[in-house]
Amino acid sequence: MKPFSYERASTPAQAAAAVARNANAKFIAGGTNLLDLMKLQIEAPAHLIDVNGLALDKIEATPDGGLRIGALVRNTALASDERVRRDYGVLSRALLAGASGQLRNRATTAGNLLQRTRCPYFYDTDQACNKRRPGSGCSAIGGFNRQHAVIGSSDACIATHPSDMAVAMRVLDAGVETVRPDGRTRVIPIADFHRLPGTTPHIETALEPGELITSVTLPRPLGGTHIYRKVRDRASYAFALVSVAAVVQRDGTGRMAMGGVAHKPWRHAGADAALPQGAKAAAAQLFAGARPTHDNAFKLPLAERTLAAVLAQARS
């Protein structure tokens, strides 16, 4: 790990300004992803701004009947909150499907959204990776890519986003509240928060330099049956090959998003509309234009079968 300087911020705006004025600075909260990347010298920030003292660790009701989740709320606390378990069950289930209990105790809401890909070529500094070093190439393309994206990828990157929580946030139409270095605030719809790779896979979110996430808002509860199903190589502490977050109503209508298949949580309005027609029709909409590789083509039938299991569970 390379040397770095450190400071504690006292307000969100101060934290954002500190990152903006320090070259190669990063926020740190739980550190469950950043510290690993620093040890491997994939990330080498010159300055760390500790945001743990910013009192962003509350879950509060919003005036419109939803919830505001502070950026520093730990994953364990969010998954176990009575309101989340009752009204946003898909989110609680997604959180409990991720990582281990020890990591959930440290990992934060904002950090979960911002975690970087677990592509093995990204983590191997001897391999070419456009996400790690723009313009160097993508070793996953043409390499062993069983875990990689089947939709939404590009000629520059076929990595997937690793978060379970983000998939549930996507199906719930969450909003990401931020503060910029000049003190201005904004709300980024979760649909627009994560970017597709295109030619710039190293730019992973819609955040501007120095912009700090302060909270995530959930709209009023949807009702219906909330299901999160994760298919992985082992029963725990593994990232999704395919995951489905779904909220299904009694009449068969609903909404769904998938993880493990794209550079961001993957949702399609046509797939939502096709849910009453069954998994096959919804999957056809969701994966229109898919570009699987020889190693990961199995994800397409796996995704359809997983969605069919989810819909069967909802009907029962």
Side-chain angles (χ1 to χ4, degrees):
M1 187 181 290
K2 295 184 177 180
F4 56 87
S5 54
Y6 169 90
E7 70 174 286
R8 292 179 178 174
S10 57
T11 68
Q14 183 192 71
V19 166
R21 69 171 175 265
N22 286 276
N24 197 19
K26 293 281 185 180
F27 303 115
I28 187 166
T32 56
N33 190 202
L34 179 60
L35 291 179
D36 284 342
L37 295 174
M38 290 172 66
K39 291 174 184 176
L40 294 170
Q41 296 188 16
I42 295 168
E43 296 269 14
H47 189 64
L48 291 183
I49 292 89
D50 189 336
V51 297
N52 282 294
L54 298 186
L56 300 175
D57 58 352
K58 305 292 191 299
I59 304 173
E60 303 169 317
T62 61
D64 63 355
L67 284 182
R68 175 170 286 105
I69 303 160
L72 297 175
V73 173
R74 264 45 184 184
N75 286 180
T76 297
L78 183 57
S80 62
D81 185 89
E82 181 181 355
R83 294 160 294 184
V84 174
R85 293 176 63 192
R86 181 187 66 229
D87 297 328
Y88 306 96
V90 65
L91 176 57
S92 181
R93 294 181 175 97
L95 286 161
L96 292 173
S100 65
Q102 295 95 327
L103 284 172
R104 291 195 297 269
N105 288 342
R106 289 296 304 163
T108 63
T109 299
N112 195 305
L113 290 176
L114 292 171
Q115 64 181 303
R116 306 199 70 186
T117 185
R118 263 51 180 196
C119 171
Y121 297 101
F122 172 75
Y123 273 82
D124 184 349
T125 55
D126 290 329
Q127 300 292 328
C129 175
N130 289 316
K131 188 178 287 293
R132 178 169 25 82
R133 194 173 71 218
S136 64
C138 175
S139 293
I141 298 175
F144 181 68
N145 44 45
R146 178 175 178 270
Q147 293 275 355
H148 289 69
V150 295
I151 189 85
S153 58
S154 72
D155 292 337
C157 182
I158 59 172
T160 57
H161 194 274
S163 173
D164 292 290
M165 185 195 79
V167 183
M169 293 286 196
R170 179 68 183 91
V171 86
L172 292 170
D173 286 332
V176 182
E177 297 186 333
T178 71
V179 62
R180 294 166 171 165
D182 60 5
R184 290 180 299 150
T185 61
R186 65 168 173 157
V187 180
I188 306 171
I190 192 71
D192 302 326
F193 183 77
H194 296 104
R195 291 167 48 110
L196 292 178
T199 59
T200 56
H202 60 291
I203 304 175
E204 298 173 333
T205 72
L207 293 174
E208 298 172 357
E211 193 169 8
L212 174 69
I213 297 174
T214 54
S215 61
V216 176
T217 57
L218 301 178
R220 62 187 307 150
L222 293 169
T225 301
H226 288 227
I227 299 171
Y228 187 77
R229 183 175 289 246
K230 181 177 181 178
V231 180
R232 45 190 163 177
D233 284 326
R234 57 183 184 270
S236 67
Y237 204 63
F239 297 101
L241 291 169
V242 166
S243 64
V244 177
V247 179
V248 184
Q249 306 300 327
R250 288 186 176 183
D251 61 1
T253 62
R255 53 175 69 180
M256 53 84 65
M258 279 201 176
V261 297
H263 201 258
K264 60 187 287 186
W266 196 250
R267 188 175 170 200
H268 190 286
D272 287 355
L275 277 179
Q277 302 168 43
K280 189 176 187 65
Q285 291 287 328
L286 193 70
F287 293 110
R291 299 197 308 171
T293 69
H294 175 270
D295 292 328
N296 68 14
F298 74 94
K299 284 192 176 187
L300 296 177
L302 178 62
E304 182 181 326
R305 292 168 189 164
T306 305
L307 180 56
V310 165
L311 296 178
Q313 181 181 346
R315 287 193 297 270
S316 66

